[in-house]
Each structure stands twice: as C-alpha cells, then as structure tokens.
Short mmCIF file of all heavy atoms in Angstrom, two decimals:
data_model
loop_
_atom_site.label_atom_id
_atom_site.label_comp_id
_atom_site.label_asym_id
_atom_site.label_seq_id
_atom_site.Cartn_x
_atom_site.Cartn_y
_atom_site.Cartn_z
N VAL A 1 -7.57 7.97 1.62
CA VAL A 1 -7.45 8.08 0.18
C VAL A 1 -8.46 9.11 -0.27
O VAL A 1 -9.64 9.02 0.08
CB VAL A 1 -7.71 6.73 -0.51
CG1 VAL A 1 -7.64 6.87 -2.01
CG2 VAL A 1 -6.75 5.67 -0.02
N TRP A 2 -7.99 10.09 -1.03
CA TRP A 2 -8.83 11.19 -1.49
C TRP A 2 -9.06 11.12 -3.00
O TRP A 2 -8.15 10.75 -3.75
CB TRP A 2 -8.16 12.53 -1.17
CG TRP A 2 -7.98 12.74 0.29
CD1 TRP A 2 -6.91 12.33 1.04
CD2 TRP A 2 -8.87 13.36 1.18
NE1 TRP A 2 -7.10 12.68 2.35
CE2 TRP A 2 -8.30 13.32 2.47
CE3 TRP A 2 -10.12 13.96 1.04
CZ2 TRP A 2 -8.92 13.85 3.58
CZ3 TRP A 2 -10.74 14.50 2.16
CH2 TRP A 2 -10.13 14.44 3.41
N ASP A 3 -10.24 11.49 -3.44
CA ASP A 3 -10.54 11.61 -4.86
C ASP A 3 -9.87 12.89 -5.36
O ASP A 3 -10.13 13.97 -4.82
CB ASP A 3 -12.05 11.66 -5.07
CG ASP A 3 -12.43 11.73 -6.53
OD1 ASP A 3 -12.12 12.75 -7.18
OD2 ASP A 3 -13.04 10.76 -7.01
N SER A 4 -9.04 12.79 -6.37
CA SER A 4 -8.28 13.94 -6.83
C SER A 4 -9.14 15.00 -7.52
O SER A 4 -8.76 16.16 -7.56
CB SER A 4 -7.15 13.51 -7.78
OG SER A 4 -7.69 12.90 -8.93
N GLN A 5 -10.30 14.62 -8.03
CA GLN A 5 -11.16 15.59 -8.71
C GLN A 5 -12.14 16.24 -7.74
O GLN A 5 -12.25 17.46 -7.68
CB GLN A 5 -11.90 14.93 -9.86
CG GLN A 5 -10.97 14.53 -10.98
CD GLN A 5 -11.70 13.85 -12.12
OE1 GLN A 5 -12.90 13.64 -12.09
NE2 GLN A 5 -10.95 13.50 -13.16
N SER A 6 -12.84 15.41 -6.96
CA SER A 6 -13.86 15.97 -6.05
C SER A 6 -13.27 16.41 -4.71
O SER A 6 -13.92 17.11 -3.96
CB SER A 6 -14.95 14.93 -5.79
OG SER A 6 -14.44 13.87 -5.00
N LYS A 7 -12.06 15.99 -4.41
CA LYS A 7 -11.37 16.29 -3.15
C LYS A 7 -12.08 15.65 -1.94
O LYS A 7 -11.87 16.04 -0.81
CB LYS A 7 -11.24 17.80 -2.91
CG LYS A 7 -10.69 18.58 -4.08
CD LYS A 7 -9.25 18.28 -4.32
CE LYS A 7 -8.64 19.24 -5.31
NZ LYS A 7 -8.31 18.71 -6.58
N GLU A 8 -12.91 14.64 -2.20
CA GLU A 8 -13.63 13.95 -1.13
C GLU A 8 -12.86 12.73 -0.66
O GLU A 8 -12.15 12.08 -1.44
CB GLU A 8 -15.02 13.52 -1.62
CG GLU A 8 -15.94 14.69 -1.88
CD GLU A 8 -17.34 14.23 -2.27
OE1 GLU A 8 -17.76 13.15 -1.82
OE2 GLU A 8 -17.99 14.97 -3.02
N LEU A 9 -13.01 12.42 0.63
CA LEU A 9 -12.40 11.24 1.22
C LEU A 9 -13.11 9.99 0.68
O LEU A 9 -14.32 9.88 0.75
CB LEU A 9 -12.52 11.28 2.74
CG LEU A 9 -11.94 10.11 3.51
CD1 LEU A 9 -10.43 10.06 3.36
CD2 LEU A 9 -12.32 10.20 4.98
N ILE A 10 -12.32 9.06 0.12
CA ILE A 10 -12.87 7.81 -0.40
C ILE A 10 -12.80 6.72 0.66
O ILE A 10 -13.76 6.00 0.90
CB ILE A 10 -12.11 7.35 -1.66
CG1 ILE A 10 -12.25 8.38 -2.77
CG2 ILE A 10 -12.58 5.99 -2.12
CD1 ILE A 10 -11.37 8.12 -3.96
N SER A 11 -11.64 6.59 1.28
CA SER A 11 -11.46 5.56 2.31
C SER A 11 -10.27 5.91 3.18
O SER A 11 -9.42 6.71 2.81
CB SER A 11 -11.26 4.18 1.68
OG SER A 11 -10.10 4.17 0.87
N SER A 12 -10.24 5.31 4.36
CA SER A 12 -9.13 5.49 5.29
C SER A 12 -8.41 4.17 5.48
O SER A 12 -9.04 3.11 5.54
CB SER A 12 -9.64 5.97 6.65
OG SER A 12 -10.22 7.25 6.53
N LEU A 13 -7.09 4.23 5.55
CA LEU A 13 -6.28 3.02 5.74
C LEU A 13 -5.64 3.07 7.11
O LEU A 13 -5.28 4.14 7.60
CB LEU A 13 -5.18 2.95 4.67
CG LEU A 13 -5.62 3.13 3.22
CD1 LEU A 13 -4.40 3.11 2.32
CD2 LEU A 13 -6.60 2.08 2.81
N GLU A 14 -5.47 1.92 7.72
CA GLU A 14 -4.79 1.83 9.01
C GLU A 14 -3.71 0.76 8.91
O GLU A 14 -3.92 -0.39 9.30
CB GLU A 14 -5.79 1.51 10.12
CG GLU A 14 -6.79 2.62 10.34
CD GLU A 14 -7.68 2.39 11.53
OE1 GLU A 14 -7.27 1.71 12.48
OE2 GLU A 14 -8.80 2.92 11.51
N PRO A 15 -2.53 1.14 8.38
CA PRO A 15 -1.43 0.18 8.26
C PRO A 15 -1.02 -0.36 9.63
O PRO A 15 -1.17 0.31 10.65
CB PRO A 15 -0.30 1.00 7.64
CG PRO A 15 -0.96 2.21 7.06
CD PRO A 15 -2.18 2.46 7.88
N SER A 16 -0.48 -1.57 9.63
CA SER A 16 -0.08 -2.22 10.89
C SER A 16 1.21 -1.64 11.46
O SER A 16 1.54 -1.87 12.61
CB SER A 16 0.08 -3.72 10.67
OG SER A 16 1.10 -3.96 9.72
N SER A 17 1.95 -0.88 10.65
CA SER A 17 3.21 -0.28 11.07
C SER A 17 3.38 1.02 10.29
O SER A 17 2.63 1.27 9.34
CB SER A 17 4.36 -1.25 10.78
OG SER A 17 5.62 -0.69 11.04
N GLU A 18 4.35 1.81 10.64
CA GLU A 18 4.57 3.09 9.96
C GLU A 18 4.97 2.87 8.50
O GLU A 18 5.95 2.18 8.22
CB GLU A 18 5.68 3.85 10.67
CG GLU A 18 5.98 5.20 10.09
CD GLU A 18 7.08 5.92 10.85
OE1 GLU A 18 7.46 5.50 11.95
OE2 GLU A 18 7.58 6.92 10.31
N PRO A 19 4.19 3.45 7.55
CA PRO A 19 4.57 3.32 6.14
C PRO A 19 5.86 4.09 5.84
O PRO A 19 6.03 5.22 6.29
CB PRO A 19 3.39 3.95 5.39
CG PRO A 19 2.27 4.00 6.37
CD PRO A 19 2.91 4.11 7.71
N ILE A 20 6.76 3.48 5.09
CA ILE A 20 8.02 4.09 4.70
C ILE A 20 8.03 4.36 3.20
O ILE A 20 8.54 5.36 2.75
CB ILE A 20 9.21 3.16 5.07
CG1 ILE A 20 9.25 2.89 6.57
CG2 ILE A 20 10.53 3.73 4.58
CD1 ILE A 20 9.49 4.10 7.44
N SER A 21 7.45 3.46 2.43
CA SER A 21 7.40 3.62 0.97
C SER A 21 6.04 3.16 0.47
O SER A 21 5.32 2.45 1.15
CB SER A 21 8.52 2.80 0.31
OG SER A 21 8.40 1.43 0.66
N GLY A 22 5.71 3.59 -0.74
CA GLY A 22 4.43 3.20 -1.31
C GLY A 22 4.40 3.41 -2.80
O GLY A 22 5.17 4.19 -3.35
N MET A 23 3.50 2.69 -3.44
CA MET A 23 3.30 2.86 -4.88
C MET A 23 1.89 2.40 -5.24
O MET A 23 1.32 1.53 -4.58
CB MET A 23 4.34 2.10 -5.69
CG MET A 23 4.29 0.60 -5.55
SD MET A 23 5.60 -0.28 -6.43
CE MET A 23 5.22 0.08 -8.11
N VAL A 24 1.33 3.03 -6.25
CA VAL A 24 0.02 2.65 -6.76
C VAL A 24 0.23 1.76 -7.98
O VAL A 24 1.00 2.09 -8.88
CB VAL A 24 -0.81 3.89 -7.13
CG1 VAL A 24 -2.11 3.50 -7.80
CG2 VAL A 24 -1.07 4.74 -5.89
N VAL A 25 -0.47 0.62 -7.98
CA VAL A 25 -0.43 -0.31 -9.10
C VAL A 25 -1.88 -0.57 -9.49
O VAL A 25 -2.59 -1.32 -8.81
CB VAL A 25 0.27 -1.64 -8.73
CG1 VAL A 25 0.31 -2.57 -9.91
CG2 VAL A 25 1.67 -1.39 -8.18
N GLY A 26 -2.34 0.09 -10.54
CA GLY A 26 -3.74 -0.02 -10.94
C GLY A 26 -4.66 0.50 -9.86
O GLY A 26 -4.59 1.66 -9.49
N GLU A 27 -5.50 -0.37 -9.32
CA GLU A 27 -6.46 -0.01 -8.28
C GLU A 27 -5.94 -0.32 -6.88
O GLU A 27 -6.69 -0.28 -5.91
CB GLU A 27 -7.78 -0.78 -8.51
CG GLU A 27 -8.42 -0.53 -9.85
CD GLU A 27 -9.29 0.72 -9.85
OE1 GLU A 27 -9.89 1.03 -8.81
OE2 GLU A 27 -9.37 1.37 -10.91
N LEU A 28 -4.66 -0.67 -6.78
CA LEU A 28 -4.08 -1.09 -5.50
C LEU A 28 -3.01 -0.12 -5.01
O LEU A 28 -2.30 0.49 -5.80
CB LEU A 28 -3.46 -2.47 -5.63
CG LEU A 28 -4.38 -3.60 -6.09
CD1 LEU A 28 -3.58 -4.87 -6.32
CD2 LEU A 28 -5.49 -3.84 -5.07
N LEU A 29 -2.89 0.00 -3.69
CA LEU A 29 -1.82 0.74 -3.05
C LEU A 29 -0.94 -0.26 -2.33
O LEU A 29 -1.43 -1.04 -1.50
CB LEU A 29 -2.37 1.75 -2.05
CG LEU A 29 -1.34 2.48 -1.19
CD1 LEU A 29 -0.43 3.35 -2.05
CD2 LEU A 29 -2.03 3.30 -0.12
N VAL A 30 0.34 -0.29 -2.66
CA VAL A 30 1.30 -1.20 -2.02
C VAL A 30 2.15 -0.35 -1.07
O VAL A 30 2.73 0.65 -1.48
CB VAL A 30 2.19 -1.89 -3.07
CG1 VAL A 30 3.14 -2.87 -2.39
CG2 VAL A 30 1.34 -2.60 -4.12
N LEU A 31 2.18 -0.76 0.21
CA LEU A 31 2.95 -0.03 1.21
C LEU A 31 4.09 -0.88 1.73
O LEU A 31 3.88 -2.04 2.11
CB LEU A 31 2.06 0.36 2.41
CG LEU A 31 0.94 1.35 2.15
CD1 LEU A 31 0.14 1.55 3.42
CD2 LEU A 31 1.49 2.67 1.64
N GLY A 32 5.29 -0.32 1.78
CA GLY A 32 6.43 -0.92 2.44
C GLY A 32 6.51 -0.33 3.85
O GLY A 32 6.49 0.90 4.00
N LEU A 33 6.58 -1.17 4.86
CA LEU A 33 6.46 -0.71 6.23
C LEU A 33 7.78 -0.71 6.99
O LEU A 33 8.72 -1.43 6.65
CB LEU A 33 5.44 -1.57 6.98
CG LEU A 33 4.06 -1.70 6.34
CD1 LEU A 33 3.19 -2.64 7.15
CD2 LEU A 33 3.40 -0.36 6.17
N LYS A 34 7.81 0.07 8.05
CA LYS A 34 8.98 0.13 8.92
C LYS A 34 9.31 -1.23 9.52
O LYS A 34 10.46 -1.56 9.76
CB LYS A 34 8.73 1.16 10.02
CG LYS A 34 9.92 1.43 10.89
CD LYS A 34 9.62 2.54 11.89
CE LYS A 34 10.86 2.87 12.70
NZ LYS A 34 10.60 4.00 13.61
N SER A 35 8.29 -2.04 9.74
CA SER A 35 8.45 -3.37 10.34
C SER A 35 9.12 -4.38 9.41
O SER A 35 9.43 -5.49 9.82
CB SER A 35 7.09 -3.91 10.77
OG SER A 35 6.28 -4.14 9.62
N GLY A 36 9.29 -4.02 8.11
CA GLY A 36 9.82 -4.96 7.13
C GLY A 36 8.74 -5.72 6.40
O GLY A 36 9.02 -6.59 5.59
N SER A 37 7.49 -5.39 6.67
CA SER A 37 6.35 -6.06 6.04
C SER A 37 5.85 -5.23 4.85
O SER A 37 6.20 -4.06 4.69
CB SER A 37 5.22 -6.25 7.05
OG SER A 37 5.66 -7.05 8.13
N ILE A 38 5.00 -5.85 4.04
CA ILE A 38 4.36 -5.18 2.91
C ILE A 38 2.86 -5.41 3.02
O ILE A 38 2.41 -6.51 3.33
CB ILE A 38 4.89 -5.72 1.56
CG1 ILE A 38 6.36 -5.33 1.40
CG2 ILE A 38 4.06 -5.21 0.39
CD1 ILE A 38 7.02 -5.89 0.16
N GLU A 39 2.09 -4.35 2.76
CA GLU A 39 0.63 -4.44 2.74
C GLU A 39 0.12 -3.97 1.38
O GLU A 39 0.66 -3.03 0.81
CB GLU A 39 0.01 -3.59 3.84
CG GLU A 39 0.34 -4.09 5.23
CD GLU A 39 -0.24 -3.24 6.33
OE1 GLU A 39 -0.65 -2.08 6.09
OE2 GLU A 39 -0.26 -3.72 7.46
N VAL A 40 -0.94 -4.64 0.91
CA VAL A 40 -1.58 -4.27 -0.35
C VAL A 40 -3.04 -3.93 -0.04
O VAL A 40 -3.76 -4.74 0.54
CB VAL A 40 -1.51 -5.42 -1.39
CG1 VAL A 40 -2.16 -5.00 -2.70
CG2 VAL A 40 -0.06 -5.86 -1.61
N TRP A 41 -3.44 -2.72 -0.43
CA TRP A 41 -4.77 -2.19 -0.13
C TRP A 41 -5.53 -1.89 -1.42
O TRP A 41 -4.94 -1.43 -2.39
CB TRP A 41 -4.64 -0.89 0.65
CG TRP A 41 -3.97 -1.02 1.97
CD1 TRP A 41 -2.64 -1.06 2.22
CD2 TRP A 41 -4.61 -1.13 3.24
NE1 TRP A 41 -2.39 -1.17 3.56
CE2 TRP A 41 -3.59 -1.22 4.22
CE3 TRP A 41 -5.93 -1.16 3.65
CZ2 TRP A 41 -3.87 -1.33 5.57
CZ3 TRP A 41 -6.20 -1.26 5.00
CH2 TRP A 41 -5.18 -1.35 5.94
N LYS A 42 -6.85 -2.10 -1.40
CA LYS A 42 -7.71 -1.64 -2.49
C LYS A 42 -7.98 -0.16 -2.26
O LYS A 42 -8.41 0.24 -1.18
CB LYS A 42 -9.05 -2.39 -2.50
CG LYS A 42 -8.94 -3.81 -2.97
CD LYS A 42 -10.32 -4.42 -3.05
CE LYS A 42 -10.24 -5.86 -3.50
NZ LYS A 42 -11.58 -6.48 -3.54
N LEU A 43 -7.70 0.67 -3.27
CA LEU A 43 -7.88 2.10 -3.13
C LEU A 43 -9.34 2.53 -2.99
O LEU A 43 -9.65 3.43 -2.23
CB LEU A 43 -7.25 2.84 -4.32
CG LEU A 43 -5.73 2.91 -4.31
CD1 LEU A 43 -5.23 3.46 -5.64
CD2 LEU A 43 -5.26 3.78 -3.16
N HIS A 44 -10.24 1.88 -3.70
CA HIS A 44 -11.63 2.36 -3.73
C HIS A 44 -12.40 2.11 -2.44
O HIS A 44 -13.37 2.79 -2.18
CB HIS A 44 -12.38 1.77 -4.94
CG HIS A 44 -12.66 0.31 -4.84
ND1 HIS A 44 -11.73 -0.64 -5.19
CD2 HIS A 44 -13.76 -0.35 -4.43
CE1 HIS A 44 -12.25 -1.84 -4.99
NE2 HIS A 44 -13.48 -1.69 -4.54
N ASN A 45 -11.95 1.14 -1.62
CA ASN A 45 -12.71 0.89 -0.39
C ASN A 45 -11.84 0.72 0.86
O ASN A 45 -12.36 0.51 1.95
CB ASN A 45 -13.62 -0.34 -0.55
CG ASN A 45 -12.84 -1.63 -0.75
OD1 ASN A 45 -11.61 -1.67 -0.66
ND2 ASN A 45 -13.57 -2.71 -1.01
N GLY A 46 -10.52 0.81 0.72
CA GLY A 46 -9.64 0.72 1.88
C GLY A 46 -9.49 -0.67 2.45
O GLY A 46 -9.04 -0.83 3.59
N GLU A 47 -9.82 -1.70 1.68
CA GLU A 47 -9.72 -3.08 2.16
C GLU A 47 -8.28 -3.58 2.04
O GLU A 47 -7.64 -3.43 1.00
CB GLU A 47 -10.63 -3.98 1.33
CG GLU A 47 -10.54 -5.44 1.69
CD GLU A 47 -11.33 -6.33 0.74
OE1 GLU A 47 -12.06 -5.81 -0.12
OE2 GLU A 47 -11.21 -7.56 0.87
N LEU A 48 -7.77 -4.17 3.11
CA LEU A 48 -6.45 -4.81 3.08
C LEU A 48 -6.62 -6.16 2.39
O LEU A 48 -7.36 -7.01 2.85
CB LEU A 48 -5.91 -5.00 4.50
CG LEU A 48 -4.57 -5.72 4.63
CD1 LEU A 48 -3.46 -4.90 4.01
CD2 LEU A 48 -4.27 -6.00 6.10
N VAL A 49 -5.94 -6.34 1.26
CA VAL A 49 -6.11 -7.57 0.49
C VAL A 49 -4.94 -8.53 0.63
O VAL A 49 -5.07 -9.71 0.35
CB VAL A 49 -6.39 -7.30 -1.00
CG1 VAL A 49 -7.74 -6.63 -1.18
CG2 VAL A 49 -5.30 -6.49 -1.64
N LYS A 50 -3.77 -8.04 1.08
CA LYS A 50 -2.62 -8.92 1.24
C LYS A 50 -1.70 -8.32 2.28
O LYS A 50 -1.44 -7.12 2.30
CB LYS A 50 -1.89 -9.04 -0.09
CG LYS A 50 -0.69 -9.98 -0.09
CD LYS A 50 -1.08 -11.42 0.04
CE LYS A 50 -1.00 -12.12 -1.28
NZ LYS A 50 -1.21 -13.54 -1.22
N TYR A 51 -1.20 -9.19 3.18
CA TYR A 51 -0.23 -8.79 4.18
C TYR A 51 0.93 -9.77 4.11
O TYR A 51 0.74 -10.97 4.26
CB TYR A 51 -0.85 -8.81 5.58
CG TYR A 51 0.14 -8.49 6.67
CD1 TYR A 51 0.58 -7.19 6.88
CD2 TYR A 51 0.65 -9.50 7.48
CE1 TYR A 51 1.49 -6.89 7.88
CE2 TYR A 51 1.57 -9.20 8.48
CZ TYR A 51 1.98 -7.90 8.67
OH TYR A 51 2.89 -7.61 9.65
N LEU A 52 2.11 -9.27 3.81
CA LEU A 52 3.31 -10.10 3.73
C LEU A 52 4.18 -9.75 4.93
O LEU A 52 4.79 -8.67 4.99
CB LEU A 52 4.04 -9.84 2.42
CG LEU A 52 3.20 -10.08 1.17
CD1 LEU A 52 3.88 -9.54 -0.06
CD2 LEU A 52 2.91 -11.56 1.01
N ASN A 53 4.23 -10.63 5.90
CA ASN A 53 4.88 -10.38 7.18
C ASN A 53 6.40 -10.44 7.08
O ASN A 53 6.95 -11.45 6.65
CB ASN A 53 4.37 -11.40 8.21
CG ASN A 53 4.82 -11.10 9.61
OD1 ASN A 53 4.98 -9.94 9.97
ND2 ASN A 53 5.02 -12.11 10.40
N GLN A 54 7.04 -9.37 7.46
CA GLN A 54 8.50 -9.26 7.57
C GLN A 54 9.24 -9.91 6.40
O GLN A 54 10.05 -10.81 6.58
CB GLN A 54 8.97 -9.82 8.90
CG GLN A 54 8.41 -9.03 10.07
CD GLN A 54 8.87 -9.55 11.41
OE1 GLN A 54 9.20 -10.72 11.56
NE2 GLN A 54 8.89 -8.67 12.39
N VAL A 55 8.96 -9.42 5.21
CA VAL A 55 9.63 -9.91 4.01
C VAL A 55 11.05 -9.37 3.88
O VAL A 55 11.81 -9.79 3.03
CB VAL A 55 8.83 -9.58 2.73
CG1 VAL A 55 7.50 -10.29 2.74
CG2 VAL A 55 8.65 -8.07 2.58
N HIS A 56 11.37 -8.43 4.75
CA HIS A 56 12.69 -7.79 4.73
C HIS A 56 13.19 -7.68 6.16
O HIS A 56 12.41 -7.53 7.08
CB HIS A 56 12.56 -6.41 4.09
CG HIS A 56 13.86 -5.79 3.71
ND1 HIS A 56 14.60 -5.05 4.59
CD2 HIS A 56 14.55 -5.80 2.54
CE1 HIS A 56 15.70 -4.63 3.98
NE2 HIS A 56 15.69 -5.08 2.75
N GLY A 57 14.51 -7.76 6.35
CA GLY A 57 15.10 -7.70 7.68
C GLY A 57 15.03 -6.35 8.36
O GLY A 57 15.29 -6.24 9.54
N GLY A 58 14.66 -5.32 7.63
CA GLY A 58 14.54 -3.97 8.18
C GLY A 58 13.43 -3.24 7.47
O GLY A 58 12.55 -3.86 6.87
N CYS A 59 13.47 -1.92 7.52
CA CYS A 59 12.46 -1.11 6.83
C CYS A 59 12.44 -1.41 5.34
O CYS A 59 13.48 -1.67 4.74
CB CYS A 59 12.78 0.38 7.00
SG CYS A 59 12.72 0.97 8.68
N VAL A 60 11.26 -1.36 4.76
CA VAL A 60 11.13 -1.48 3.30
C VAL A 60 11.22 -0.05 2.75
O VAL A 60 10.23 0.67 2.70
CB VAL A 60 9.81 -2.16 2.90
CG1 VAL A 60 9.70 -2.27 1.38
CG2 VAL A 60 9.70 -3.54 3.54
N TRP A 61 12.43 0.34 2.38
CA TRP A 61 12.70 1.72 1.98
C TRP A 61 12.16 2.06 0.60
O TRP A 61 11.89 3.22 0.31
CB TRP A 61 14.20 2.00 2.00
CG TRP A 61 14.76 2.01 3.39
CD1 TRP A 61 15.55 1.05 3.96
CD2 TRP A 61 14.57 3.00 4.39
NE1 TRP A 61 15.86 1.40 5.25
CE2 TRP A 61 15.27 2.59 5.55
CE3 TRP A 61 13.87 4.20 4.44
CZ2 TRP A 61 15.29 3.33 6.71
CZ3 TRP A 61 13.88 4.94 5.61
CH2 TRP A 61 14.59 4.52 6.72
N SER A 62 12.05 1.07 -0.28
CA SER A 62 11.56 1.38 -1.62
C SER A 62 10.85 0.16 -2.21
O SER A 62 11.07 -0.97 -1.78
CB SER A 62 12.70 1.81 -2.54
OG SER A 62 13.62 0.76 -2.72
N LEU A 63 10.00 0.43 -3.18
CA LEU A 63 9.26 -0.59 -3.91
C LEU A 63 9.45 -0.30 -5.40
O LEU A 63 9.60 0.85 -5.80
CB LEU A 63 7.77 -0.53 -3.57
CG LEU A 63 7.40 -0.79 -2.11
CD1 LEU A 63 5.99 -0.31 -1.84
CD2 LEU A 63 7.54 -2.26 -1.77
N ASN A 64 9.42 -1.35 -6.22
CA ASN A 64 9.59 -1.19 -7.64
C ASN A 64 8.70 -2.19 -8.37
O ASN A 64 8.56 -3.32 -7.93
CB ASN A 64 11.05 -1.38 -8.03
CG ASN A 64 11.35 -0.91 -9.44
OD1 ASN A 64 10.53 -0.25 -10.08
ND2 ASN A 64 12.53 -1.25 -9.93
N LEU A 65 8.13 -1.78 -9.46
CA LEU A 65 7.30 -2.66 -10.27
C LEU A 65 8.18 -3.40 -11.26
O LEU A 65 9.01 -2.79 -11.96
CB LEU A 65 6.25 -1.83 -11.01
CG LEU A 65 5.11 -2.57 -11.68
CD1 LEU A 65 4.32 -3.40 -10.67
CD2 LEU A 65 4.19 -1.61 -12.40
N GLY A 66 8.01 -4.74 -11.33
CA GLY A 66 8.81 -5.57 -12.23
C GLY A 66 8.43 -5.35 -13.68
O GLY A 66 7.42 -4.73 -13.99
N PRO A 67 9.25 -5.88 -14.60
CA PRO A 67 9.02 -5.70 -16.04
C PRO A 67 7.68 -6.25 -16.52
O PRO A 67 7.16 -5.79 -17.52
CB PRO A 67 10.17 -6.44 -16.70
CG PRO A 67 11.11 -6.85 -15.65
CD PRO A 67 10.44 -6.65 -14.33
N ASP A 68 7.13 -7.23 -15.80
CA ASP A 68 5.85 -7.80 -16.21
C ASP A 68 4.68 -6.92 -15.83
O ASP A 68 3.54 -7.18 -16.22
CB ASP A 68 5.67 -9.21 -15.63
CG ASP A 68 5.58 -9.22 -14.11
OD1 ASP A 68 5.69 -8.16 -13.47
OD2 ASP A 68 5.43 -10.33 -13.55
N GLY A 69 4.92 -5.86 -15.05
CA GLY A 69 3.85 -4.95 -14.63
C GLY A 69 2.98 -5.50 -13.53
O GLY A 69 1.99 -4.89 -13.16
N LYS A 70 3.33 -6.68 -12.96
CA LYS A 70 2.53 -7.32 -11.93
C LYS A 70 3.32 -7.61 -10.66
O LYS A 70 2.76 -7.71 -9.60
CB LYS A 70 1.94 -8.62 -12.46
CG LYS A 70 1.03 -8.45 -13.64
CD LYS A 70 0.55 -9.79 -14.14
CE LYS A 70 -0.29 -9.61 -15.39
NZ LYS A 70 -0.72 -10.88 -15.93
N THR A 71 4.62 -7.78 -10.80
CA THR A 71 5.47 -8.16 -9.68
C THR A 71 6.03 -6.91 -9.01
O THR A 71 6.57 -6.03 -9.66
CB THR A 71 6.65 -9.04 -10.16
OG1 THR A 71 6.11 -10.13 -10.89
CG2 THR A 71 7.46 -9.54 -9.00
N VAL A 72 5.90 -6.87 -7.65
CA VAL A 72 6.46 -5.75 -6.89
C VAL A 72 7.71 -6.22 -6.21
O VAL A 72 7.77 -7.27 -5.63
CB VAL A 72 5.45 -5.22 -5.85
CG1 VAL A 72 6.07 -4.12 -5.01
CG2 VAL A 72 4.20 -4.70 -6.55
#
C-alpha cells in the first residue's frame, strides 16, 4: 500500500490466494480471492482483520458495497 501524496510504502499485504477483485471501504481494503475467500485488511498497517473462508464456490470476481455503506 502506497501513500498517494508522498509515494512512500505504507504497508505490504500477503493475501492467502491470488487477489481477483478489491475495493476500499474507509480505512479497509476488501479483497476477493481466486480461492473463493474474502480478506479484509487495514490499509494503514497491513493487518489482516477478517478472513472469510470460501464464501463462494469459485473466484470472487467482483465486490459491491451495500446500500447501508457497511455490507460488502
């Protein structure tokens, strides 16, 4: 994760599988993985805060934010 103004590296992420889709929600990065799992990372420090194992039968091709602004 890079700072867009200073161009400095803030943190590095190591997803458990190849990322296919992603979206930023506030201070979080949500990744949809090839394995069918979803990971939620804190952008400022690269901490994995949530791992949802195989929530989909195949690749997670896309992610969408729900109308409440909280549900992915």
Side-chain angles (χ1 to χ4, degrees):
V1 178
W2 298 88
D3 183 294
S4 63
Q5 292 179 359
S6 70
K7 311 291 191 250
E8 292 184 30
L9 179 66
I10 297 171
S11 61
S12 295
L13 309 177
E14 295 187 27
S16 61
S17 175
E18 182 179 347
I20 301 296
S21 58
M23 65 184 295
V24 174
V25 181
E27 302 275 327
L28 302 173
L29 173 64
V30 182
L31 295 177
L33 306 177
K34 187 175 184 177
S35 66
S37 300
I38 293 176
E39 294 179 344
V40 181
W41 298 82
K42 287 184 181 178
L43 285 171
H44 70 277
N45 65 6
E47 177 187 353
L48 177 65
V49 293
K50 182 70 103 173
Y51 177 75
L52 303 168
N53 189 32
Q54 297 180 334
V55 296
H56 194 273
C59 296
V60 180
W61 291 107
S62 64
L63 298 164
N64 193 12
L65 192 59
D68 64 359
K70 299 177 184 178
T71 306
V72 176

